[in-house]
Amino acid sequence: MREWRRVKLGDVAKIITGYPFKSADFEGASGGGPRLCRGVNVGPGRLVWGDVRTWPKERVGDVKQFRLERDDVVLAMDRPWIEAGLKFGRVTASDAGSLLVQRVARLRGGDELDQRFLQYVISAREFTDHVKGVHTGTTIPHISGKQIALFEFRIPPLDEQRRIAEVLRALDDKIEVNRATISTLEESVACAFMIDFAEAGTDGVLGDLVDHLRASTKPFDKPADRFEHYSLPAFDATGLPEHVEGREIRSAKTRVVQGSVLVSKLNPRIPRVWIPSRVTRGAVCSTEFQVFVPVRAIDRAFVWAFVGSAAYRDRLIGAATGTSGSHQRVRPADMLDVALPANTSEVAREEFGRWAEPRLGLADHLRHENHALAATRDALLPKLMSGELRVTDAERRVGEAL
C-alpha cells in the first residue's frame, strides 16, 4: 500500500473527444461503413447498438484517428449519468473499428496506467461521484474533457494493476461470453421466424392473439414497498428489471403479469421487446412499454418473435408520429393492427413455441447468471481498488463464482 500513489486521471491517461461528424452524411446499419459511437450508443457499463448509424467507408481515411480499438474506454459526455448508472463502456472485439463521435470521450492508459485497469478506475463509485459532482447544465447535463482529466485516484504499481484487472476481467469475460450466447439463442429464434409480409393479411392481426393490459398503478403511493421495475434504461443496460422502492419511482406505471410480452412504443427504430420471466406481484413497467398477454400461453414465443421482427418494426416506424426524431411514438392501436403472416395456424404456432421457448428460457437464465456475476464483480471492485482486499483472496472468490 505504501507504493500506491495519488494521481490525476489526465496525468496518466490520454483523453480525446470525438469528431463532429455531420449527421446529414450518416448512413443506416446496412451502409457497409464503420459504426458511429454516439452518446446514444453508450449505455451503463457497455456499448449498445440498438440505434446504429454508420459512416461512408470511402471516407474513413480522413478520420481514422478516431477509430476505436479493443479495450478503449468510452464515456458519454452528455447525460453521463442516468438512473441505471454511469454511461461508459469498454470496447470489445465486436465494437472495435467504430468511430468516435463528438460528445463522447475516449480514454487510453499510458506507461503508468494499464489499459485494463483503467476500465475499473472508471467503473469505481468514486469516479461516478466525481462526474455527478462536476457535470454542468440543467437541460442536458454534460461533462468536459478537462473535468474528466481532473479526477484523482490512488494507483498501485503496474504489476498490481494488472493482477487486479485480471481478476475482475475474468468475471467480465464470462459475462461477455454469456451475452454472445444470449444473442445467438435469440437470433436463432428470430431466424426461425421467417415472415413474408407480402402474403400478410389472411390470418388476422396481432390483436387477435393478445390481450392489451393497461392497468395503471402509482408506486410512489407506497414508498416503502419493493417493486420490480421494467424500465427502458434497465432493458438497455442488462435486460433485467430493477428492484427498487416505490419512493424511487416518480410516475405512474403499468402493471406487468406473468406470461406477458412488453413492446416499446417509443422510437420504434430501436427494437425493445421484453419477456418478463420471473414476475412478482410488484411488477410494473414504463408506460412506454405496452403489455401484450397472449391469449394462448403457447403463443408467447411466436408473439415475441413477431413483434421483434424487422418487418413489424418497419410497420411501426411508418406509423410513428412526432416531430422529434428522438421522441417518436406509435399508437397502441396501430401496434395491434398489424397483419399476421399468412398460413399462421394454431398448430404451426404451437410447434414454433415448443421449439423456441427452451432457447428463450436459456437466454433468460444466462441474463440472471450475468446479474450474479456482475454483483460479485461490483462487490470486489471497491475493495481491490482501495487495497483493502488482497488479490489472492479475490481470486478465490472469483473461482467460486465461476
Side-chain angles (χ1 to χ4, degrees):
M1 288 296 294
R2 284 179 296 181
E3 298 180 14
W4 291 49
R5 59 193 180 89
R6 196 161 189 84
V7 298
K8 291 182 179 179
L9 185 57
D11 293 335
V12 292
K14 183 178 180 181
I15 303 168
I16 70 166
T17 57
Y19 184 76
F21 294 91
K22 293 183 178 180
S23 59
D25 296 329
F26 288 2
E27 296 181 344
S30 60
R35 291 179 295 190
L36 293 167
C37 182
R38 302 169 293 145
V40 70
N41 301 122
V42 185
R46 66 189 181 102
L47 298 186
V48 292
W49 297 105
D51 187 3
V52 175
R53 295 291 185 273
T54 62
W55 190 246
K57 55 186 176 182
E58 64 273 11
R59 298 174 60 182
V60 172
D62 298 335
V63 292
K64 60 183 179 181
Q65 66 270 36
F66 295 97
R67 184 181 184 276
L68 294 176
E69 299 178 1
R70 186 173 184 175
D71 285 334
D72 280 344
V73 177
V74 294
L75 173 68
M77 301 173 73
D78 287 339
R79 294 191 179 92
W81 184 87
I82 59 176
E83 183 179 344
L86 184 71
K87 294 172 61 179
F88 84 100
R90 170 176 66 91
V91 175
T92 66
S94 62
D95 302 322
S98 305
L99 296 173
L100 191 73
V101 178
Q102 66 179 342
R103 306 310 304 156
V104 180
R106 186 198 72 197
L107 293 81
R108 286 181 181 167
D111 294 338
E112 300 176 82
L113 179 61
D114 179 75
Q115 183 64 31
R116 295 192 304 169
F117 184 79
L118 171 60
Q119 172 192 348
Y120 299 107
V121 172
I122 303 303
S123 300
R125 177 179 55 82
E126 289 78 7
F127 183 75
T128 296
D129 290 343
H130 171 76
V131 169
K132 293 167 70 175
V134 302
H135 70 58
T136 59
T138 53
T139 304
I140 302 180
H142 59 272
I143 187 170
S144 68
K146 182 178 180 180
Q147 289 170 322
I148 296 170
L150 289 175
F151 173 65
E152 293 188 9
F153 65 102
R154 297 175 66 248
I155 186 173
L158 269 172
D159 286 347
E160 186 75 0
Q161 292 179 41
R162 292 171 181 144
R163 292 183 67 202
I164 290 172
E166 184 176 356
V167 170
L168 296 172
R169 181 61 68 86
L171 293 166
D172 278 329
D173 285 348
K174 175 58 176 173
I175 289 172
E176 286 301 321
V177 168
N178 283 354
R179 282 176 178 159
T181 304
I182 290 168
S183 179
T184 298
L185 288 165
E186 294 184 341
E187 285 176 6
S188 71
V189 174
C191 288
F193 185 82
M194 303 301 292
I195 296 180
D196 181 0
F197 264 72
E199 299 181 17
T202 62
D203 285 307
V205 296
L206 175 63
D208 297 330
L209 299 186
V210 301
D211 290 325
H212 181 203
L213 300 191
R214 287 169 283 190
S216 181
T217 184
K218 298 177 180 179
F220 49 83
D221 285 343
K222 299 178 180 179
D225 286 6
R226 298 285 293 180
F227 288 86
E228 185 178 80
H229 185 199
Y230 292 83
S231 67
L232 293 177
F235 177 90
D236 292 340
T238 64
L240 293 174
E242 301 169 283
H243 291 83
V244 297
E245 293 183 342
R247 61 172 55 90
E248 299 180 53
I249 302 176
R250 299 179 178 84
S251 59
K253 303 299 175 185
T254 306
R255 294 189 182 278
V256 175
V257 300
Q258 186 69 35
S260 56
V261 178
L262 310 183
V263 189
S264 173
K265 68 178 181 180
L266 176 68
N267 299 333
R269 71 180 185 281
I270 304 174
R272 292 187 176 108
V273 179
W274 208 344
I275 292 183
S277 62
R278 306 179 187 184
V279 176
T280 66
R281 291 184 61 185
V284 298
C285 70
S286 164
T287 54
E288 299 291 4
F289 279 115
Q290 301 305 292
V291 183
F292 296 158
V293 183
V295 176
R296 301 166 69 246
I298 192 65
D299 284 340
R300 185 178 69 160
F302 177 90
V303 171
W304 177 87
F306 179 74
V307 298
S309 69
Y312 181 83
R313 186 164 62 253
D314 287 344
R315 292 294 181 90
L316 298 194
I317 292 171
T321 60
T323 55
S324 169
S326 61
H327 287 86
Q328 292 201 324
R329 290 179 173 83
V330 185
R331 294 191 314 130
D334 290 333
M335 299 172 71
L336 293 165
D337 192 32
V338 178
L340 298 171
N343 304 316
T344 307
S345 66
E346 289 188 4
V347 172
R349 297 200 307 269
E350 288 178 9
E351 183 177 353
F352 179 82
R354 283 192 293 268
W355 178 86
E357 281 287 356
R359 289 163 174 78
L360 296 179
L362 178 54
D364 178 71
H365 170 77
L366 292 176
R367 281 196 183 89
H368 282 85
E369 182 177 281
N370 276 359
H371 179 73
L373 292 170
T376 299
R377 178 201 61 205
D378 294 345
L380 294 175
L381 176 61
K383 295 180 179 181
L384 284 169
M385 299 299 283
S386 66
E388 176 186 345
L389 181 68
R390 294 168 59 92
V391 173
T392 52
D393 293 331
E395 289 172 338
R396 175 179 54 79
R397 297 190 191 182
V398 170
E400 294 171 352
L402 297 175

